[in-house]
Structure formats: structure tokens, C-alpha cells
Amino acid sequence: MQQRLSKEFIVLCSACHDDYANGVIGPSLIGKNEKEVREMIDKYSKDPNANVLMTSLVERMTPEEIDFIAADLARFTKAIQEEKNPTVSLPKSEEKK
């Protein structure tokens, strides 16, 4: 696997979600788009019964950090999907034939 998540993800999230977002203690985040990740994070800022470790982390994060992590996970998921299912493209000289 060539793709990696950002240093920010590793520092903030990997203890529970692994360096590749597979999930260790926390759930796998693979396959989630940016909106889904953002909604998951938002839940922890609003739900008083949510996981206390995640709630504490989210409370310390800025909106910009949350947006960055959500975008980073979406980018990573897309890259993994493309790596698993590469699109075969014809060379430019073959496209017009």
C-alpha cells in the first residue's frame, strides 16, 4: 500500500483507529466519505452519552482540524479504492482509433 494518512491523523486518531484507519479500539474508517466522517465527529461533540475518549478529543480540536481530518480520510479512502480497482486507460495514440 503506497498511500498514507497525514501526520495529523496519526497523532490525533491512530491510537484507536490505526495508522491506516482500519480500526483497533475504534471502528474502521475505511470507505467513509468526507461527509460521513464529519457527521461521525459531530456526533461526539453533541451526544452526552458518546465515547468519553472521542468526546474529549473532539472538544480539543478546532473546526479546521476536524475538516482536515475528514478530508484526509476521504482522500485516503479514494486512493485505496483506486489502488484496488485501477482504471485502465488507453494511451493517447489509441484513444482515437
Side-chain angles (χ1 to χ4, degrees):
M1 180 184 318
Q2 297 288 331
Q3 302 301 320
R4 294 200 180 267
L5 284 154
S6 67
K7 175 182 72 173
E8 291 82 358
F9 178 88
I10 303 298
V11 169
L12 293 169
C13 310
S14 68
C16 294
H17 296 284
D18 187 40
D19 289 356
Y20 294 96
N22 294 325
V24 178
I25 297 168
S28 173
L29 301 171
I30 300 295
K32 305 288 185 205
N33 64 40
E34 191 170 344
K35 182 179 182 227
E36 291 171 315
V37 172
R38 181 72 180 158
E39 287 172 353
M40 291 171 73
I41 293 172
D42 285 345
K43 173 188 171 195
Y44 292 103
S45 65
K46 296 173 184 161
D47 183 353
N49 298 315
N51 177 307
V52 68
L53 295 173
M54 189 68 183
T55 300
S56 177
L57 174 67
V58 171
E59 286 174 355
R60 294 188 317 257
M61 292 173 71
T62 67
E64 293 79 18
E65 288 173 317
I66 293 170
D67 289 343
F68 179 84
I69 294 294
D72 190 37
L73 280 161
R75 175 205 52 83
F76 183 70
T77 290
K78 182 179 178 188
I80 288 175
Q81 289 170 344
E82 289 172 355
E83 201 171 280
K84 284 183 178 180
N85 301 310
T87 304
V88 178
S89 57
L90 295 172
K92 294 281 185 201
S93 60
E94 296 291 316
E95 287 179 355
K96 295 179 182 177
K97 290 183 179 180

